[in-house]
Amino acid sequence: RKFLARNCRHPMTWLFSLYWLGVLAVAGPVVFHMWRRTPRGERPFSTLMFLAPSPPRITSRSRIEHWILMLLRVSVLFLLAFAFTRPLWRTPRSESEQASNEQLLAVLVDTSASMQREGLWDDLIRQVDERLTKLPPDVSVALYRFDRKLVPVASFHELKLTEPTVRREIVRSRLMALQPTWESTRIGESLVGMATVLQEAQTERSTPAPQRIWLASDLQSGAETVALQGYEWPNDLPVEVIVAHPLSASNAGLQVVDKNSESTDELLRVRVTNSADSTKDQFTLRWDSDQSPQVSVYVPPGQSRVLVPPQLPEGAGASSLILIGDDQDFDNRVYIAETAPQTQVVVYCGIGTPNDAEGQRFYLDRVFSSSYRFQIEQREWRETNTASAEQQPALVILVQPEPEAESFVRRYLKNGGTVLIAGPSPEAILASINLCGRQELTVTEASVPKYAMLGEIDFTHPIFSPFAESQFSDFTGIRFWKHRIIAGLIGLDSQADGDRVDPAHPHDRILARFDDGDPAIIDLALPHGRVIVFAAGWQPADSQFARSSKFPMLLFRLMEYSTGTTPRPRSQSVGSALAWPVTSRMESAMTGTARLPDDTELKSLPIDRPFFQTDKPGLYSLGVPGRTEQIAVNLDADESRTAPLTVEQLEGFGLKLKARERSNEQQRQRDHQRQLQLVELEQSQKLWQSLLIAVTILLLTETFLSGLLGSRNTKTDQNAPAAA
């Protein structure tokens, strides 16, 4: 076979050569044709008693009388043996097919923040480099790294375009240049992405090649593995784990505890977490100032403690807290930003005094003054310049507006602002709606027998989306004594109204209905800005709305909806997006300035999208014209959970793990792959089908000739006595 493969352009081979032993059955027809049997017994006939006996003539050997029959039977047996050997002819192979022994190996290196532990990174690079030097030359190696995302370092596609002799050196040199980052570990998403990359690499080949993954990591238990739970891992993609070990397994981490958004408690709290495999439990917490006092904390392995940091002396400044007494210091510092409440302007257009408990302004003042997130300044519409982005109101509330305020309201809506209408009477609501530019609506007083409640609520709208959770979605405790009926809504009330709908404008949207079906809260369709209409007020004469816990949350959500701002946590993780400190949608067309922790300043940045360059812990400053905000970016809390995952946990995620391969295992894999390729080639040729058809034809021919020759012999035997 080797001689044919070297000297023939289309050498032939067999998948199952042992079936050639069936050719020995060819001797059967030859023996049967030459074997003569003489009758053993004699039966006397009375009519032969008058004839003289004639003994048979003795010959030296038997002769074959029917050569054609014997050759047909021999051919049938030969072709059957030939068919069972599954012959195939090798076709000329392309360059990719000739590399049938090639393997695809993806080296996946963990570069997350937990790899910064002492001695861990050096151990990982050493193990990977040693294994790369021992790989056979027919293994195609690609290098990828991961933390929050999968990043190609030397991809299969890139290396395919380079010379084969330098590919391995490119991978090794780029491996040595890698360094751990400060981002979190998403091992599940990275493995799923790596499996997809290998599948794409297989599609570029004419014949599949064995594939595998080297996962080089510390396998810390804080890594994200959710993506593996719903993914069916390929059976032909084994994962070999290369586990790196630090000089010391003990590790404790420090994190900022985010305060409850519903609480007015401004107290700073931190959490100390001790790893499950740690050998230490006594630590000290202090500020990064020489004047800072210290607080001792006891945290057993596998547990955590929440505590209040020590109070800084008067005049001492510090921007971070430090945990002392831990062997690994990569997660022992958290940064604390000094945040001031955002200043927001609210314009109230209506009558009533702040001390009138029966009016609507009384409850607005109480809600706005208790906010810790915003420093809210209430102004009259005459005192507000809507042409200035800094004075752009966060919200305009129309209760009983003056007709002279129409130009102010129209200009504010044109700038993209949000108007809240909640009048105490149908006439006040209608006047406010007309002031905003909608003239076709009608407002009448509804007949409420006892009280009404909110029934249907659209939790998909941005105003109500924070209430979608089951613990916040119950509004049935709010009773409304009065409400108004608003008719003439675009696309909602009647077919006739549909004739007035402008296709360029959206339809009115009902955000909530009363239990009798009348609209309770409506988002009116306008070319510019937003108008939210309450069909009932929050004063005691109309409802219990102002005394509900939902009222402050809804007002602040309206302000966020109007300005485009969202609540900012006290600490954000490395790699997360930072929102610019804008207070109105007018500012989104401006540019901002960012200052990084190393004092690098980035200017003329667009602020219509978040700031993403948060690749290290520290204090970031984002500034827009007239306003600058400091944001603390810290290490992800899960990176402090450094106890390693077990093999059983990895197998529970569906991974096909395997031990380190030996050289004979590699040879067996190559032989098995070669045999699979031959089987695939034979399935495409299917020569055995033609051979079986030939066997059937030969058997039919042999049967016909046997019958023909047998009938002639019978006639000859019948005529023989008469001739005698």
Side-chain angles (χ1 to χ4, degrees):
R1 188 182 305 178
K2 292 181 180 179
F3 175 81
L4 290 174
R6 288 194 303 265
N7 299 281
C8 297
R9 184 175 181 181
H10 305 293
M12 186 181 70
T13 187
W14 300 274
L15 291 181
F16 307 104
S17 302
L18 289 178
Y19 280 102
W20 275 118
L21 296 177
V23 178
L24 298 178
V26 171
V30 178
V31 172
F32 290 142
H33 274 263
M34 299 182 65
W35 187 12
R36 304 288 187 176
R37 295 189 60 185
T38 305
R40 296 182 180 179
E42 294 184 2
R43 181 177 294 276
F45 288 89
S46 58
T47 56
L48 299 178
M49 59 185 300
F50 301 105
L51 300 177
S54 176
R57 185 170 52 187
I58 303 300
T59 59
S60 59
R61 61 179 180 177
S62 300
R63 293 186 302 109
I64 298 177
E65 296 180 356
H66 305 294
W67 280 94
I68 297 179
L69 286 178
M70 188 193 71
L71 291 176
L72 288 174
R73 292 164 182 168
V74 168
S75 299
V76 167
L77 294 174
F78 179 83
L79 289 178
L80 282 176
F82 190 63
F84 277 104
T85 58
R86 305 285 285 276
L88 61 94
W89 275 265
R90 297 179 184 268
T91 58
R93 297 179 298 176
S94 62
E95 181 180 353
S96 60
E97 291 174 331
Q98 289 175 359
S100 58
N101 294 336
E102 182 183 0
Q103 298 183 31
L104 300 180
L105 171 61
V107 181
L108 190 57
V109 179
D110 185 357
T111 58
S112 61
S114 63
M115 299 300 299
Q116 301 205 30
R117 289 182 286 166
E118 186 179 1
L120 188 62
W121 183 254
D122 294 337
D123 181 55
L124 181 138
I125 296 298
R126 179 188 56 79
Q127 291 190 57
V128 175
D129 186 58
E130 287 180 357
R131 298 193 181 196
L132 285 176
T133 56
K134 298 178 182 179
L135 281 177
D138 55 358
V139 178
S140 295
V141 183
L143 181 62
Y144 292 77
R145 72 168 186 86
F146 73 96
D147 37 44
R148 282 171 57 96
K149 54 187 176 297
L150 179 66
V151 179
V153 180
S155 64
F156 287 108
H157 180 71
E158 177 190 356
L159 294 176
K160 188 177 180 180
L161 302 177
T162 61
E163 292 293 332
T165 55
V166 299
R167 293 175 184 173
R168 193 68 55 84
E169 289 303 321
I170 292 176
V171 172
R172 293 186 62 192
S173 63
R174 295 186 183 181
L175 172 68
M176 297 300 176
L178 287 178
Q179 291 295 330
T181 66
W182 289 100
E183 298 194 0
S184 58
T185 312
R186 294 186 177 179
I187 192 172
E189 293 182 5
S190 301
L191 281 171
V192 172
M194 195 70 259
T196 304
V197 169
L198 283 170
Q199 291 175 0
E200 293 175 353
Q202 292 281 25
T203 59
E204 298 178 357
R205 301 172 53 87
S206 57
T207 56
Q211 55 188 1
R212 50 184 170 144
I213 295 176
W214 283 359
L215 176 60
S217 172
D218 59 346
L219 293 182
Q220 53 109 354
S221 57
E224 175 272 330
T225 56
V226 178
L228 290 173
Q229 298 178 7
Y231 182 75
E232 185 176 354
W233 191 259
N235 291 324
D236 59 346
L237 182 55
V239 178
E240 182 180 342
V241 180
I242 303 174
V243 182
H245 302 281
L247 296 180
S248 174
S250 296
N251 181 61
L254 183 65
Q255 303 93 32
V256 177
V257 178
D258 199 16
K259 55 188 176 182
N260 187 357
S261 60
E262 303 303 322
S263 173
T264 59
D265 186 5
E266 293 285 343
L267 196 61
L268 174 65
R269 293 179 175 85
V270 294
R271 179 185 296 107
V272 179
T273 304
N274 199 7
S275 180
D277 57 349
S278 180
T279 59
K280 295 186 176 182
D281 52 16
Q282 296 286 346
F283 308 98
T284 302
L285 179 67
R286 69 173 181 86
W287 291 91
D288 61 342
S289 173
D290 297 335
Q291 306 175 19
S292 171
Q294 298 183 355
V295 174
S296 298
V297 54
Y298 169 73
V299 185
Q303 298 186 19
S304 63
R305 294 288 185 270
V306 176
L307 67 155
V308 178
Q311 186 71 30
L312 274 173
E314 191 71 26
S319 60
S320 61
L321 286 164
I322 303 175
L323 185 68
I324 303 174
D326 184 25
D327 292 342
Q328 309 290 344
D329 60 355
F330 78 101
D331 56 350
N332 290 349
R333 181 187 293 266
V334 293
Y335 293 88
I336 309 298
E338 296 181 1
T339 57
Q342 299 181 18
T343 301
Q344 301 285 8
V345 177
V346 175
V347 175
Y348 179 83
C349 299
I351 60 176
T353 62
N355 298 323
D356 183 9
E358 300 299 322
Q360 292 175 278
R361 185 169 182 176
F362 174 83
Y363 298 95
L364 289 177
D365 289 349
R366 298 310 186 267
V367 170
F368 292 153
S369 62
S370 63
S371 172
Y372 69 89
R373 284 188 53 213
F374 301 106
Q375 183 177 351
I376 299 177
E377 178 183 350
Q378 294 193 56
R379 296 181 183 177
E380 296 292 334
W381 65 270
R382 293 183 177 88
E383 304 172 355
T384 306
N385 180 15
T386 56
S388 172
E390 298 179 12
Q391 296 187 9
Q392 181 80 353
L395 189 65
V396 172
I397 302 176
L398 302 183
V399 176
Q400 285 182 328
E402 303 173 78
E404 294 80 3
E406 180 177 355
S407 60
F408 163 77
V409 173
R410 297 286 182 90
R411 188 168 59 250
Y412 173 68
L413 287 173
K414 188 176 181 180
N415 292 334
T418 299
V419 172
L420 172 62
I421 297 176
S425 65
E427 294 77 16
I429 293 179
L430 183 60
S432 300
I433 293 175
N434 294 337
L435 208 67
C436 295
R438 292 291 296 272
Q439 308 293 330
E440 75 280 5
L441 301 183
T442 60
V443 183
T444 57
E445 188 72 32
S447 176
V448 181
K450 189 175 182 182
Y451 61 84
M453 297 186 299
L454 292 180
E456 179 184 348
I457 298 176
D458 184 3
F459 291 106
T460 62
H461 193 274
I463 293 178
F464 282 103
S465 58
F467 301 92
E469 300 293 335
S470 59
Q471 63 267 33
F472 305 121
S473 60
D474 186 10
F475 283 77
T476 57
I478 305 174
R479 298 184 178 184
F480 295 85
W481 317 117
K482 300 178 182 179
H483 73 80
R484 288 92 213 171
I485 300 175
I486 302 174
L489 299 174
I490 295 179
L492 295 175
D493 285 339
S494 66
Q495 295 294 331
D497 292 335
D499 299 334
R500 302 196 309 269
V501 175
D502 186 356
H505 299 153
H507 293 177
D508 297 328
R509 182 175 177 181
I510 296 179
L511 308 185
R513 292 181 182 270
F514 293 110
D515 53 358
D516 58 4
D518 292 334
I521 301 177
I522 307 167
D523 187 354
L524 293 183
L526 289 174
H528 306 284
R530 300 176 178 86
V531 175
I532 307 297
V533 181
F534 283 10
W538 50 79
Q539 68 273 18
D542 274 14
S543 68
Q544 298 175 335
F545 194 18
R547 300 182 180 181
S548 168
S549 61
K550 303 290 194 302
F551 182 63
M553 297 173 62
L554 189 62
L555 283 181
F556 288 128
R557 184 58 191 147
L558 273 169
M559 294 178 60
E560 295 168 1
Y561 180 59
S562 175
T563 60
T565 60
T566 56
R568 190 188 300 278
R570 177 167 278 169
S571 174
Q572 296 191 236
S573 300
V574 173
S576 59
L578 303 182
W580 293 90
V582 296
T583 58
S584 68
R585 297 182 182 271
M586 286 182 62
E587 297 178 345
S588 61
M590 301 179 180
T591 59
T593 302
R595 184 176 293 276
L596 306 183
D598 57 0
D599 288 336
T600 301
E601 189 174 11
L602 306 177
K603 298 181 179 180
S604 300
L605 300 176
I607 63 176
D608 57 347
R609 54 182 178 270
F611 180 76
F612 286 97
Q613 301 179 35
T614 55
D615 55 355
K616 62 179 65 174
L619 296 178
Y620 291 76
S621 295
L622 300 183
V624 296
R627 193 178 309 103
T628 300
E629 183 176 352
Q630 195 177 61
I631 304 102
V633 175
N634 290 304
L635 194 67
D636 192 284
D638 288 334
E639 289 299 293
S640 298
R641 297 165 50 199
T642 54
L645 295 169
T646 63
V647 176
E648 291 75 14
Q649 288 175 302
L650 293 176
E651 291 177 341
F653 299 140
L655 293 181
K656 303 298 185 294
L657 300 180
K658 66 180 303 182
R660 188 172 179 177
E661 286 188 343
R662 296 183 295 271
S663 58
N664 57 347
E665 291 179 349
Q666 296 177 3
Q667 183 61 37
R668 283 201 298 269
Q669 279 195 356
R670 287 194 292 268
D671 294 342
H672 178 66
Q673 185 67 23
R674 187 182 299 110
Q675 186 69 13
L676 290 178
Q677 293 174 358
L678 292 177
V679 171
E680 183 180 0
L681 180 60
E682 192 276 335
Q683 288 293 331
S684 63
Q685 295 178 359
K686 295 183 178 181
L687 182 60
W688 60 272
Q689 294 181 351
S690 302
L691 294 176
L692 290 182
I693 294 174
V695 168
T696 304
I697 295 174
L698 290 178
L699 286 176
L700 292 175
T701 305
E702 188 271 341
T703 303
F704 175 75
L705 291 178
S706 296
L708 182 61
L709 295 176
S711 62
R712 290 181 180 179
N713 291 338
T714 302
K715 293 180 180 180
T716 304
D717 293 340
Q718 291 176 354
N719 297 330

